[in-house]
Amino acid sequence: MRPVKAALLVLAGGLLLLAACNQTGGGTKVTVTLVSPLATGSPATATVVYQVGNGGWQLATQEAYGVYSFTLPPGEKRYGVAVNCLPGGMMLGTIGWGYVYQLTTDDTTTIRTSCLNISDLSLGRLSVTPKKASSDTGTYDRAWIYTDFTSNYSALGTSIDLTSTAGTNKDLLAIAYNSSYQPSNITRIVFERNLSVDKSGLAVDVTFTAADKPVGQSVSSFSIPADATNSYFGVGFASKKGVVVPQGAQAFSQPQLGSGDKGGGSYWVIPNTASGDLYIAEALAEKTSGAITYHLTQVKLFGPGPEDPLFQLPSSWFDPSVEEKTYPRFTGLNYNDPALIGYTFMVKLGGFTELIYVSRSWLGSATAYAVPDLSGASDFGGTKPLPGDPIEWSVAAVMASRPLGELVAAPTIALATPLPAIDGLSIRIASKEGSYNAPTP
């Protein structure tokens, strides 16, 4: 499991919109809305179930396509919601992703969950050929090209087939490298805006010139615990219109704008940025103990101009206990930080992965949490691991510079683990991860 996954669990897969409680004489209504993670298109279908307090799971009422609701009885604030964007049938219930929210009405009464539906997207084809101007004496031989839907790479002079959502005002980012795709080998950056892409396809030549040589931005050193065995930072970029260069991780196969470790370093600046464009900076410290890995992480968003992220990781490791049951149970959820907003969990139960968000108010004074058994709920029947199935887990204490409501109401950056697109946001996370095999009853 990549460190970045554990670091960003608080935001993975779903968006919550903070709203005033819709109090009526009959209780409090909670609404669950499915949305597409892309700017266009409708969400996929899903199954939505809920629980009142710690009660059983039952189907929510479908009000319209992608809109579900349920009502909490008067006086009840605690509730759970689970969303399976790949409903059961033909064994599909045993694979995929589920999202679980354990919240209170003080957190939100409106949940928005991202469910990708490719079938109704309007997509266009691009054939992009990166070239070098004859007047450019710089040394580089290849390029990586990004759209809002795909990215790809090739040698200069070779066309690259890409897909973009169709429409006007589309972004295209082209980065030239020398010899290999490492941040230190970036030599040119071109950021084209306002392209028109339709289903019939578009041929684009990107010609790099000496004027496209990027400038660098320094990254200061940051402190890590004395017993940390590793450190890392990476910087990526997300345009307002959906082009994303991931900030990556040490084992990540796609390059970033810059990377380094606790000693600092630098990253390359994107030209032609505009309001709504954001840099994504992530730093972490790591230590291992047998099969267990610990991380301290900070993610910062800023833009449209560059800046030194000035990383400050959480001050202490997080070391809860894990009971290795069919559904893991975590104890010791008492991380001491005034900015704590809650805990997140990612568990892979055989072939099914659940991303779980538990607010501080839902836990109250409790310091333990058990992954719920959803196997009795409609379309969640295949989520129960069989004896011997691998179970991977990660638990994280999450601190943030903004309140939960503002975080979950924001549009997201389309990373593998989505982030809210909020300029100036800082998220700090202390996490622990490991694995075991499901026990025999």
Side-chain angles (χ1 to χ4, degrees):
M1 186 183 301
R2 295 177 188 151
V4 67
K5 289 184 179 179
L8 302 176
L9 291 179
V10 67
L11 302 164
L15 304 175
L16 309 180
L17 176 62
L18 189 66
C21 295
N22 182 20
Q23 298 282 355
T24 68
T28 304
K29 181 179 179 181
V30 178
T31 302
V32 182
T33 302
L34 309 182
V35 296
S36 172
L38 302 175
T40 59
S42 61
T45 59
T47 298
V48 179
V49 298
Y50 74 96
Q51 66 175 171
V52 176
N54 294 323
W57 295 88
Q58 51 192 313
L59 282 169
T61 300
Q62 185 172 7
E63 295 187 352
Y65 181 83
V67 181
Y68 303 80
S69 69
F70 57 92
T71 300
L72 298 174
E76 180 63 69
K77 288 189 173 185
R78 296 172 71 250
Y79 65 90
V81 171
V83 180
N84 184 355
C85 289
L86 189 60
M90 298 300 289
M91 298 181 67
L92 291 181
T94 64
I95 62 174
W97 296 77
Y99 308 97
V100 180
Y101 308 89
Q102 308 274 205
L103 305 169
T104 72
T105 54
D106 292 333
D107 296 315
T108 184
T109 57
T110 303
I111 298 175
R112 297 185 184 271
T113 297
S114 180
C115 286
L116 177 63
N117 181 12
I118 297 178
S119 63
D120 71 340
L121 284 177
S122 179
L123 300 174
R125 295 178 293 106
L126 289 134
S127 179
V128 181
T129 304
K131 298 179 178 179
K132 180 180 180 180
S134 58
S135 59
D136 189 353
T137 59
T139 303
Y140 53 97
D141 59 2
R142 63 195 66 198
W144 203 306
I145 312 295
Y146 299 83
T147 73
D148 65 355
F149 196 77
T150 59
S151 69
N152 209 338
Y153 55 91
S154 78
L156 295 183
T158 302
S159 63
I160 303 172
D161 292 329
L162 296 164
T163 302
S164 168
T165 57
T168 58
N169 299 321
K170 298 297 178 179
D171 291 344
L172 182 73
L173 181 62
I175 302 178
Y177 296 80
N178 180 40
S179 300
S180 65
Y181 297 102
Q182 301 296 325
S184 59
N185 291 334
I186 292 175
T187 59
R188 303 286 185 268
I189 300 179
V190 170
F191 189 19
E192 294 193 8
R193 316 195 79 139
N194 301 319
L195 291 177
S196 294
V197 180
D198 59 34
K199 293 182 179 180
S200 63
L202 177 68
V204 179
D205 288 345
V206 175
T207 302
F208 297 104
T209 72
D212 300 317
K213 182 178 180 179
V215 299
Q217 167 65 51
S218 63
V219 174
S220 296
S221 61
F222 54 93
S223 298
I224 65 173
D227 58 345
T229 57
N230 194 20
S231 65
Y232 167 82
F233 84 81
V235 178
F237 176 78
S239 80
K240 184 179 181 180
K241 298 174 185 176
V243 169
V244 177
V245 179
Q247 74 276 23
Q250 286 177 301
F252 201 58
S253 59
Q254 186 169 331
Q256 313 90 324
L257 297 177
S259 61
D261 57 21
K262 64 179 182 179
S266 65
Y267 63 92
W268 299 108
V269 174
I270 300 293
N272 195 28
T273 57
S275 177
D277 297 336
L278 293 171
Y279 289 90
I280 313 161
E282 178 183 353
L284 66 85
E286 176 185 273
K287 73 172 182 177
T288 58
S289 177
I292 301 298
T293 303
Y294 300 85
H295 294 111
L296 300 175
T297 306
Q298 184 180 32
V299 177
K300 300 186 76 173
L301 302 178
F302 49 86
E307 61 184 64
D308 185 342
L310 298 172
F311 293 116
Q312 290 183 306
L313 301 183
S315 58
S316 59
W317 304 104
F318 182 37
D319 194 21
S321 297
V322 182
E323 297 179 23
E324 296 183 349
K325 300 182 177 182
T326 300
Y327 295 95
R329 182 175 183 270
F330 302 89
T331 58
L333 304 180
N334 53 3
Y335 195 79
N336 184 19
D337 192 300
L340 180 74
I341 62 172
Y343 298 90
T344 61
F345 308 83
M346 181 164 70
V347 291
K348 184 177 181 182
L349 306 171
F352 194 87
T353 300
E354 291 181 11
L355 305 177
I356 304 169
Y357 323 113
V358 180
S359 74
R360 193 173 186 177
S361 60
W362 187 91
L363 275 176
S365 61
T367 58
Y369 178 78
V371 171
D373 180 356
L374 292 165
S375 61
S378 179
D379 283 333
F380 285 85
T383 61
K384 187 172 185 176
L386 300 174
D389 274 353
I391 294 179
E392 298 177 7
W393 56 266
S394 177
V395 52
V398 182
M399 288 68 66
S401 62
R402 306 291 181 92
L404 176 63
E406 187 174 351
L407 291 182
V408 300
T412 57
I413 298 171
L415 293 160
T417 307
L419 275 170
I422 299 177
D423 187 7
L425 175 64
S426 169
I427 301 172
R428 298 181 304 118
I429 293 179
S431 62
K432 177 182 180 180
E433 61 188 56
S435 64
Y436 61 92
N437 293 328
T440 301

